[in-house]
Structure formats: structure tokens, C-alpha cells
Amino acid sequence: MSDAIKISQDVYYIGVSDADIRTFDIIMKTANGTTYNAYLIKTEEGVIILDTVKEEFQEEFFEKVESLCSYDEIKYIVMHHLEPDHSGALPELTKRAPQAKIFISPMAQPMLKSIGKSDNMVFETVWTNKELKLGSKTLKFLSTPNLHWPETMSSYLVENQILFSGDVFGSHYYDSRVFDDLVGDFDYAFKYYYDHIMRPFKTDVLNALRLYEPLAIDMIANLHGPIIRNNPSKYLNLYKKWSSKDEKLHGKKVVSIFYVTSYKNTKEMAQSIFDGIESNDSLIANIYDLTALDESNMISILEESTGIIVGSPTINGDVPKPVWDLLSCMMLIEKRGKFGGCFGSYGWSGEAVEMMNSRLKSLKFRVPLPPMKIKLIPTKEELLDCYDFGHEFGEVVNGKMMEMTL
Ligand code: FEO
């Protein structure tokens, strides 16, 4: 166990390390482990705790708290995020400091009741422009939802110029030296974390940056990995660059067709749909055989495409794995404003097309056209229908209004 660390005047790091964890949230690899960061602010009139830690590490967290104050000095607890890696010690903390009022975002209320395992917690909801004053310290709250849960928020300690950013600007990277200017090179972990946690919420990242950018930020006290005190603006700029949308090539919107094919029937459909999209001068159409596309390429193509059309035959009543791989990659991109469509040739019942269509709809893609299904070998007329499907899809991507099937 390490001691609490003073990170600024009256501000302490009371987080813990999880050095041996190698997979986080099922999908993330954590070669360097991670940390669950939490903070404590001391004032003349009492103490503020900012976030807690994963439950299994709570005794270390409490030892750090006890090294700095008694529980009856704790006036407030600020919970920027209620995921269990940060709220795990909250139920016990509220038992030990029952007088402490908890500050959360409005969206966090139902979650707090469930996580806190109590109806007796004293809490107040806060948002941008609300502030907490205690002694000589002023904590301004910032509404930063969806980063990466609906209830997430940030705060800014005015006198110390510290941004408490929640999961934003985190890294799954444990290093006992704690600060970004002392630890090893964690750039890979910072980008990997962004890609897996923040990338699907780029619009919300840009909204948060609009709140952060006017602030004088001397330090970013995040919830995972190194605390950032060396050139914080570098990390704001990286988030801005990665989150700024570029869904146009040469001033044109992109529509991408992904397909797999057994007997070239679905491929023929794909080609006719491609021609239909290309008939619209203000679009660029891409076409990809999924069996030869790496996952990292799938993600970047999905991201740059405003329209995404997926084609597959039905094999054993199902969608083949390369298509499921593409569909699962979609959890890592922002779907807002994107259009989806599906097609495929089939031999018997043809379930694949409906499965893909239903996946796109459940991910909240706008699906303007019914899926295009053709039994076995497409005729010339059917290929013309595919061409029309592509043309019509392109028109909608380009702004033509029509009733969505969603
Ligand atoms: Fe680090 Fe979203 O919890």
C-alpha cells in the first residue's frame, strides 16, 4: 500500500492501483494494469472527497482517507461517475461519514439509489454553473454527460486550477510514479483508452471540450492512470483532433458497402448497389469484401462513412462471422447521424438480412429503406432494383427527406 499523495495545495490523491488486472470491462487489454483515482480536498471548514474506488480496494482507500482527516470532517462527496470502479467504496463511505452530502448529476439519481444500497443518502444534483464553496475552495461543476455513461460529469477547482475530469483523459496505465511527467511513455494507453471508451461519443467529447477550453487548467485529475500536470492542453488538443468529424472526402459524403459472398450473387448485388450510389455525383462509394478486411480498417472506414450498407448470404440460418465482426465493431463508433442499409442473396429462408437490419436499427442507425433480398441468382431486373436501392439510399444520405423504417 502506498500513502496518500499531496498533488496540489490542500489537494491529495487517495486512489489505488490495480497493477495486475489484464482485461478491463471485458474488451480492453491492460498490459500495465490500471488505477482507480480518487481525491481529497482539505479546507478550513471541512473535507471534500472526490470519487471513491473499486470495492475490493476500499480498505486501502479508507486508510488514506484516515491518514488525512476524521470521518466527521467530511462535509461533501462528489461523484463524477457511478460505474462500480469508482463507486465501489461509496456505500461504506456513507456509513462512515453519514453526514456527508453527495453531489451527483441529475441523471445519476436512480443509479445512486441502486449503487448506494440505501435510501437514506443525502444528495444534491448539480450541473454547469452550479458551484460548491467550502472554506477557501470553490468547486465549479460541469455537465459532461455520456463520457462515457449518461450520468458522468466533471468539476473544476478554481483556486488550484485543477480539472477533475472523470473518466475523460484517463488511461489504463499503472505506474507508481503517478504523474504524467514522471511515468513511462503512456501515449499508447491514452489513445487506446480514448478509442475504446470515448470514441463512440465524439459529439459529447466536443461538447465537454467547449466547457474545458475556457478554463485555466494547471492539472487534470482524472479517474484512471497518470495525473496530467505537464502541458494539459496537449491532451485537450488530442481529444479535439480525434473527435473532430471528417465524414467527407474531397467535400463529398462517403457511403461504404461491406459484403461477403459464397457464389458471387451477393457480390453482384453489391456491385449494382455501388453503381446506384455512384450515380449521385456528390457521393463517394466504397465497396469492401469483408473476408479480407482487418478490424482496425473496418473501424476507420465505418467512422468516415455517413452511409453503411451491409450485404450477406444466409448460411445455416445465420449471418457469417466476418459480418458479425463488422457489426460488433460498430460499438466503437459514434452512430449519430449515420444511415444503414442491408441486402443479400439467399437460398432458403434468408434470415441473415433481417438479422443485420435489426442490428443496425437497434444501434440507432437511420434505416431509410427496407432490406433488399434476392433469392439465389439475381436477374437483370433484380440487379436494376439493387441499382435503384443504391441510388435511393444515396439520395437520402444526401439529405432527401423520407419516412424512416426505424
Ligand atoms: Fe472508470 Fe467508466 O469507469
Side-chain angles (χ1 to χ4, degrees), residues 360-383:
L360 292 182
K361 286 184 173 184
S362 62
L363 287 174
K364 305 281 187 286
F365 279 88
R366 288 186 268 177
V367 179
L369 303 174
M372 172 72 58
K373 283 173 72 173
I374 291 176
K375 192 163 176 71
L376 281 175
I377 302 166
T379 63
K380 274 188 185 166
E381 291 71 28
E382 285 171 330
L383 288 177

Side-chain angles (χ1 to χ4, degrees), residues 102-109 123-127 130:
I102 304 168
F103 288 95
I104 51 170
S105 76
M107 289 292 282
Q109 289 181 71
F123 71 89
E124 183 177 332
T125 56
V126 289
W127 48 86
K130 281 207 164 194

Side-chain angles (χ1 to χ4, degrees), residues 270-308:
Q271 187 59 50
S272 294
I273 292 170
F274 173 87
D275 293 340
I277 295 164
E278 274 287 282
S279 66
N280 189 324
D281 286 341
S282 53
L283 292 175
I284 289 182
N286 297 318
I287 186 165
Y288 302 98
D289 181 339
L290 277 171
T291 55
L293 201 59
D294 282 343
E295 193 173 298
S296 61
N297 290 330
M298 287 181 198
I299 295 168
S300 23
I301 296 163
L302 286 169
E303 211 156 43
E304 74 177 19
S305 305
T306 307
I308 291 157

Side-chain angles (χ1 to χ4, degrees), residues 24-25 81 83 85-86 148-149 167 172 193 197 223-224:
F24 190 90
D25 266 1
H81 182 24
E83 195 164 2
D85 51 334
H86 309 296
H148 59 125
W149 273 17
D167 271 348
H172 287 311
Y193 179 100
I197 297 186
L223 289 182
H224 293 289

Side-chain angles (χ1 to χ4, degrees), residues 4 12 82 173 195 287 330 341 358 363 369 382 392:
Y12 298 84
L82 290 180
Y173 187 93
D195 283 346
I287 186 165
M330 290 175 179
S358 142
L363 287 174
L369 303 174
E382 285 171 330
E392 185 72 2

Side-chain angles (χ1 to χ4, degrees), residues 107-307:
M107 289 292 282
Q109 289 181 71
M111 189 65 74
L112 180 68
K113 286 190 178 152
S114 155
I115 284 172
K117 301 170 190 161
S118 163
D119 286 328
N120 300 323
M121 287 180 299
V122 188
F123 71 89
E124 183 177 332
T125 56
V126 289
W127 48 86
T128 303
N129 293 329
K130 281 207 164 194
E131 61 182 40
L132 163 63
K133 278 188 176 289
L134 187 66
S136 57
K137 299 293 184 190
T138 314
L139 193 65
K140 285 180 178 284
F141 296 103
L142 302 164
S143 298
T144 51
N146 301 322
L147 300 176
H148 59 125
W149 273 17
E151 97 304 357
T152 50
M153 65 172 191
S154 311
S155 64
Y156 177 69
L157 186 60
V158 176
E159 293 74 15
N160 300 62
Q161 301 188 337
I162 299 178
L163 173 66
F164 294 99
S165 59
D167 271 348
V168 181
F169 303 125
S171 313
H172 287 311
Y173 187 93
Y174 161 64
D175 186 315
S176 60
R177 293 166 287 186
V178 174
F179 293 99
D180 65 324
D181 53 320
L182 303 179
V183 304
D185 184 355
F186 68 105
D187 283 357
Y188 91 91
F190 187 80
K191 178 69 163 68
Y192 181 79
Y193 179 100
Y194 171 89
D195 283 346
H196 284 78
I197 297 186
M198 298 298 161
R199 189 176 182 166
F201 306 101
K202 289 183 170 185
T203 303
D204 300 291
V205 170
L206 293 172
N207 288 338
L209 288 172
R210 277 183 208 108
L211 295 176
Y212 298 155
E213 280 168 346
L215 304 172
I217 298 174
D218 197 43
M219 178 182 288
I220 299 174
N222 48 26
L223 289 182
H224 293 289
I227 295 170
I228 295 168
R229 65 182 181 186
N230 179 39
N231 193 10
S233 61
K234 167 186 161 185
Y235 297 92
L236 270 74
N237 290 338
L238 283 173
Y239 263 47
K240 189 165 197 169
K241 181 175 148 200
W242 294 333
S243 301
S244 299
K245 293 189 180 178
D246 184 14
E247 291 182 356
K248 288 184 174 182
L249 284 180
H250 313 298
K252 296 180 177 184
K253 285 184 181 169
V254 176
V255 177
S256 295
I257 302 166
F258 301 89
Y259 72 92
V260 292
T261 195
S262 296
Y263 295 102
K264 299 195 176 159
N265 298 322
T266 300
K267 182 180 181 182
E268 276 196 63
M269 292 178 73
Q271 187 59 50
S272 294
I273 292 170
F274 173 87
D275 293 340
I277 295 164
E278 274 287 282
S279 66
N280 189 324
D281 286 341
S282 53
L283 292 175
I284 289 182
N286 297 318
I287 186 165
Y288 302 98
D289 181 339
L290 277 171
T291 55
L293 201 59
D294 282 343
E295 193 173 298
S296 61
N297 290 330
M298 287 181 198
I299 295 168
S300 23
I301 296 163
L302 286 169
E303 211 156 43
E304 74 177 19
S305 305
T306 307

Side-chain angles (χ1 to χ4, degrees), residues 329-346:
C329 282
M330 290 175 179
M331 74 183 288
L332 297 174
I333 62 157
E334 183 168 64
K335 273 73 73 179
R336 201 178 300 188
K338 288 193 189 292
F339 296 84
C342 295
F343 65 97
S345 154
Y346 67 102

